[in-house]
Amino acid sequence: MVQSHVIMFFYQFLSSFNNFMNRRNFLQTILPMGLAPIALGGIPLSAMADPLLNQSFSCGDIGDRVLVLVQLAGGNDGINMLLPVDQYATYKNLRPTIAINDTGSRKYTNIDTTLALNQQVGIQPDMMALKDLYDDGKVNLVLDVNYANNNKSHFKGTDIWMAGKDSTSGNGNLGSGWFGRYLDHRYPNYPNAYPNPSMPDPLGIQLGSNTMALGFYRNSGIPTGMSLKGDPNNFYNLVSGVGGPLPATVPNSHYGQELNYLMQVQSNTSTYAARLDTVYNAGQNLVTYPTTHYQTGVPNYWNNLAPQLKVVARLISGGCKTKVYLVRLSGFDTHTQQTLTNDPSMGSHSSLMYHLSQSLKAFQDDLKALGVEDKVMTVTFSEFGRTITENGSRGTDHGTSAPMVVMGKGVTPGVTGINPDLSMINRNNLTSYQFDYRRIFTTLLQDWLGAGGAALTGAELSAFETQKMDLVNTNYVDPVTSQTISYKAPPSCYIGAFPVEFAGFDANMQRDFTVLCEWETASETNNELFSVERSPDGLIFESVGEVPGQGNSSTLEYYSFVDPKPIEGNSFYRIKQVDFDGRFSYSDIREVRLDQDMGISLETTFFPNPAPDMLYVKCESSGASEGELRLVQTSGAEVYRKDIRLTAGQNQFEVPVNQLPPAIYYAEIGIRHKNVRHRAGWGKVVVRR
């Protein structure tokens, strides 16, 4: 809540303030004075309105979807959360006093005995609510998540996760987050047009913290903050009860810009307050959320997560259109007394695991009872894991990798990855990891919120666009028919109504070692031209040619362009459509590999796609070669391999997929030439019953 007398104080303060302060530090300094977070149901809440979340999707229920981020603040002990069953003896030896027992009334429970042994994990006895969710097919456990050269600092580590960076990025300057950059790329005109009839709500909401998270910051501009203390039923009355004149002019300076922004915040606050008051009172909760847990031996250890998720569920049920929520459970910095002396399954970490499991279960049950669970995906994260060895104080120190939990009706259930190798440690920490955390966030942006390649480039996450993981159930992902590892965003998932609807786009190497780009449009309005763009890395694109558009058309139109001098090796292509008014949109991105030393070029087609029982692979080859046909999961695990022999001309192979679970897979044709194996054909296929 920004009160007018507080604005006046800022005005006087800024007029006499001469020392340099960057925008983020400035805001963090003054926010506690006048922009304290809102409290809905007694829970501190901050609201920001950034452009990403104001997308007007027109592709079914994607536009209604919500992403809930659960921050486990302090560094969660992933090894005691999901202990590696296949290495229990090693685990017990490394943690002689805090390891969860494998016998007795409070022994660990194997969450899924049907998995391969190196994927089987054990959970503490107070985490059975998580197993219930897992057994109900609403959880994917992603093992061994980290980033290169983990920082192991609470503050810097949290900023790295929020920024979507790693420890080598920014030379210490992580002034923006992956939410904010994505939003700023898509909707650069915030805050002037917000709120509006299509998006009347705060576009992102943070609960449980007094400081706005870095993830909501853009490269320029600052997130919107509001504050309220008290009963949510009095929310609107408390905010609208303030008033008074604002300064007519502001100084033409850096601080004047900040003051002008704060004045704009005040104007938006009243509108958002009224709207949140409406949707909160219109919503409800239909299950009982947990509060305190005594069983783990920590009396009065309050569950601070459940009330936050309770508010989120009620806002969603009341019709709130906010797209991203950030909630927080703290207390994970367990250097000492992580477990009780007489029982390692009890103690502070066990209480936290109980709070997390019970809160997630209540939240998911509430969403189901309210009829909105199709809209919500939830994911947990922590700034780092803990050391593999205990530290002598019945605790653990700052570590590296840890698991993440992805939860929702739309999740691909199961366990992703394998247990970390506890024999591969250095200075009490794991020496490697399996998944960069940005792959998980990028996948959820792609498959859950419908982000396309250009938006991921703006968010500085495009390097992970081709490393998508199988986290979202294929029934919730738009059908993928692309013959590339790039994500195919739904054609109509652009802001507003762009003048061209792409019906398809492909880029393929030809026998003469040129690249043929072909695309179709289902309709065109005011379309001037198409620019064919090429990139060596999928990040920075340049135009290699233009093709005139039809202007206006309601029929299927076909276009093509030949790149006569493509890049040797891997390259990426996309189509930029430009209308007569200067507006533009992008197609999906296609990857092409050109290696003239291969001696053979392939044109590969996978059909039907999606495939219910049998997948057919048709290859037009420029020569004869031996090779293999592989099918791999998005995690990289191989599920099918077949030796093949290619002849010059048409070749066709069959891949039985009737025994494979429905999911997204990558198909690869590898050929051997001059004793070197080359990837000659590559595509994404969907198995769907």
Side-chain angles (χ1 to χ4, degrees):
M1 178 174 63
V2 182
Q3 302 182 26
S4 296
H5 67 273
V6 176
I7 292 287
M8 289 298 296
F9 170 79
F10 290 152
Y11 177 77
Q12 297 168 1
F13 171 74
L14 293 174
S15 297
S16 60
F17 193 86
N18 295 317
N19 294 327
F20 175 81
M21 183 183 293
N22 67 47
R23 302 190 78 191
R24 187 181 175 210
N25 289 341
F26 168 81
L27 189 63
Q28 288 181 332
T29 300
I30 63 175
L31 274 178
M33 294 187 287
L35 298 178
I38 303 162
L40 284 181
I43 303 303
L45 176 151
S46 302
M48 50 75 68
D50 267 315
L52 154 73
L53 304 176
N54 193 24
Q55 301 190 35
S56 299
F57 286 118
S58 57
C59 28
D61 61 353
I62 291 181
D64 296 329
R65 291 180 183 176
V66 171
L67 182 63
V68 178
L69 306 173
V70 180
Q71 179 186 1
L72 309 181
N76 177 39
D77 183 9
I79 300 300
N80 261 27
M81 176 184 180
L82 301 176
L83 66 91
V85 171
D86 62 325
Q87 303 167 73
Y88 183 81
T90 302
Y91 159 78
K92 181 71 174 178
N93 183 57
L94 293 169
R95 297 183 166 206
T97 66
I98 69 169
I100 308 302
N101 292 324
D102 60 348
T103 60
S105 61
R106 289 184 60 80
K107 65 180 181 179
Y108 76 78
T109 297
N110 192 326
I111 202 165
D112 189 349
T113 58
T114 68
L115 295 172
L117 184 59
N118 62 1
Q119 287 189 302
Q120 293 183 25
V121 294
I123 58 172
Q124 302 178 22
D126 293 305
M127 294 178 64
M128 295 307 294
L130 182 67
K131 178 166 173 55
D132 291 342
L133 287 167
Y134 182 93
D135 291 343
D136 201 22
K138 295 178 180 178
V139 163
N140 188 299
L141 303 174
V142 186
L143 305 179
D144 204 12
V145 183
N146 196 11
Y147 60 87
N149 301 313
N150 190 293
N151 182 263
K152 302 187 189 70
S153 161
H154 290 299
F155 302 106
K156 182 66 178 294
T158 299
D159 280 356
I160 286 172
W161 277 75
M162 294 286 184
K165 300 290 186 177
D166 59 37
S167 60
T168 64
S169 303
N171 296 320
N173 180 20
L174 298 172
S176 64
W178 59 273
F179 316 153
R181 290 192 303 270
Y182 180 65
L183 297 168
D184 195 46
H185 170 80
R186 281 297 192 178
Y187 306 98
N189 294 323
Y190 171 79
N192 296 330
Y194 306 93
N196 57 49
S198 63
M199 177 51 75
D201 301 302
L203 304 171
I205 289 179
Q206 174 184 320
L207 298 95
S209 176
N210 291 331
T211 303
M212 182 63 66
L214 174 65
F216 290 133
Y217 280 76
R218 300 173 291 154
N219 284 325
S220 61
I222 49 180
T224 300
M226 298 185 296
S227 93
L228 176 70
K229 301 286 185 180
D231 192 309
N233 292 323
N234 297 323
F235 178 44
Y236 173 68
N237 291 332
L238 289 173
V239 172
S240 61
V242 301
L246 295 173
T249 60
V250 296
N252 184 20
S253 66
H254 169 79
Y255 304 108
Q257 295 174 6
E258 302 295 352
L259 176 59
N260 185 66
Y261 190 89
L262 292 173
M263 293 166 61
Q264 200 163 26
V265 168
Q266 173 172 353
S267 176
N268 286 347
T269 297
S270 295
T271 304
Y272 285 136
R275 170 64 179 176
L276 286 179
D277 180 65
T278 299
V279 296
Y280 188 87
N281 288 323
Q284 60 181 326
N285 299 107
L286 297 179
V287 304
T288 300
Y289 284 74
T291 54
T292 308
H293 183 52
Y294 296 90
Q295 187 178 0
T296 56
V298 186
N300 298 316
Y301 204 79
W302 291 98
N303 186 336
N304 295 318
L305 177 61
Q308 298 173 52
L309 292 174
K310 184 177 181 180
V311 169
V312 173
R314 182 166 175 174
L315 287 172
I316 294 171
S317 74
C320 186
K321 295 185 178 182
T322 295
K323 296 292 290 183
V324 172
Y325 294 86
L326 175 64
V327 297
R328 188 173 188 264
L329 178 62
S330 59
F332 287 88
D333 196 19
T334 52
H335 286 283
T336 62
Q337 303 303 312
Q338 178 174 320
T339 67
L340 299 186
T341 303
N342 61 339
D343 190 341
S345 72
M346 292 186 178
S348 59
H349 189 260
S350 179
S351 291
L352 290 166
M353 290 296 96
Y354 177 87
H355 295 335
L356 176 64
S357 302
Q358 291 289 329
S359 299
L360 292 179
K361 180 69 163 59
F363 181 56
Q364 192 64 38
D365 288 349
D366 204 8
L367 295 175
K368 180 179 180 180
L370 293 166
V372 294
E373 68 170 341
D374 281 308
K375 296 182 178 182
V376 184
M377 188 74 76
T378 305
V379 58
T380 71
F381 70 97
S382 190
E383 64 263 38
F384 47 70
R386 312 297 294 185
T387 51
I388 301 304
T389 59
E390 62 181 60
N391 60 13
S393 299
R394 301 194 66 83
T396 51
D397 298 322
H398 297 187
T400 54
S401 64
M404 295 173 68
V405 178
V406 185
M407 179 187 76
K409 185 180 178 182
V411 79
T412 299
V415 173
T416 297
I418 61 175
N419 288 317
D421 187 348
L422 300 189
S423 68
M424 301 297 290
I425 60 175
N426 181 35
R427 295 184 178 180
N428 302 324
N429 275 308
L430 296 167
T431 57
S432 64
Y433 62 95
Q434 295 174 66
F435 304 107
D436 191 295
Y437 75 96
R438 290 165 287 189
R439 291 182 62 186
I440 289 89
F441 288 148
T442 302
T443 296
L444 295 177
L445 285 178
Q446 289 174 301
D447 283 358
W448 187 249
L449 294 183
L456 294 177
T457 298
E460 300 176 25
L461 290 173
S462 58
F464 301 91
E465 180 184 3
T466 59
Q467 301 179 40
K468 189 168 65 168
M469 301 169 66
D470 186 13
L471 299 177
V472 180
N473 189 295
T474 55
N475 292 327
Y476 286 78
V477 180
D478 213 59
V480 180
T481 57
S482 165
Q483 295 183 33
T484 170
I485 59 176
S486 295
Y487 172 65
K488 184 180 187 301
S492 58
C493 286
Y494 295 103
I495 306 166
F498 275 109
V500 165
E501 180 182 356
F502 284 100
F505 168 51
D506 283 306
N508 294 288
M509 184 182 70
Q510 304 302 294
R511 293 184 181 182
D512 59 356
F513 297 104
T514 62
V515 170
L516 173 64
C517 298
E518 301 174 285
W519 66 98
E520 293 178 313
T521 63
S523 64
E524 299 180 29
T525 304
N526 198 35
N527 177 33
E528 180 180 8
L529 60 88
F530 299 95
S531 174
V532 180
E533 297 187 343
R534 184 184 66 198
S535 169
D537 56 9
L539 299 176
I540 301 175
F541 286 82
E542 63 176 356
S543 177
V544 294
E546 293 183 352
V547 177
Q550 292 293 327
N552 297 289
S553 173
S554 58
T555 61
L556 194 68
E557 302 288 348
Y558 169 81
Y559 297 89
S560 65
F561 176 85
V562 174
D563 184 0
K565 296 181 179 181
I567 299 172
E568 184 82 6
N570 291 338
S571 59
F572 301 84
Y573 289 82
R574 71 183 183 190
I575 305 299
K576 179 180 180 180
Q577 175 276 321
V578 182
D579 72 1
F580 288 102
D581 297 326
R583 296 184 69 199
F584 60 89
S585 62
Y586 290 102
S587 72
D588 312 313
I589 297 174
R590 297 291 182 261
E591 183 188 25
V592 176
R593 177 170 177 79
L594 175 63
D595 188 348
Q596 297 192 25
D597 190 51
M598 285 194 321
I600 293 175
S601 65
L602 290 181
E603 295 180 16
T604 308
T605 305
F606 303 95
F607 66 95
N609 199 0
D613 300 303
M614 186 71 71
L615 173 70
Y616 297 93
V617 182
K618 183 166 65 176
C619 300
E620 176 76 15
S621 177
S622 63
S625 176
E626 293 183 349
E628 66 271 348
L629 169 60
R630 301 171 63 238
L631 208 61
V632 300
Q633 297 174 326
T634 53
S635 64
E638 182 179 278
V639 297
Y640 178 85
R641 176 187 288 266
K642 177 181 181 180
D643 291 332
I644 60 173
R645 181 180 295 275
L646 291 166
T647 60
Q650 289 282 355
N651 299 265
Q652 183 167 306
F653 308 100
E654 297 180 351
V655 179
V657 296
N658 57 313
Q659 298 300 317
L660 295 177
I664 297 173
Y665 298 88
Y666 297 140
E668 178 188 272
I669 300 290
I671 63 174
R672 289 181 285 275
H673 178 66
K674 298 181 181 179
N675 295 321
V676 178
R677 183 186 180 279
H678 299 273
R679 188 183 73 188
W682 181 257
K684 180 184 295 180
V685 297
V686 176
V687 174
R688 180 176 296 168
R689 303 287 181 258

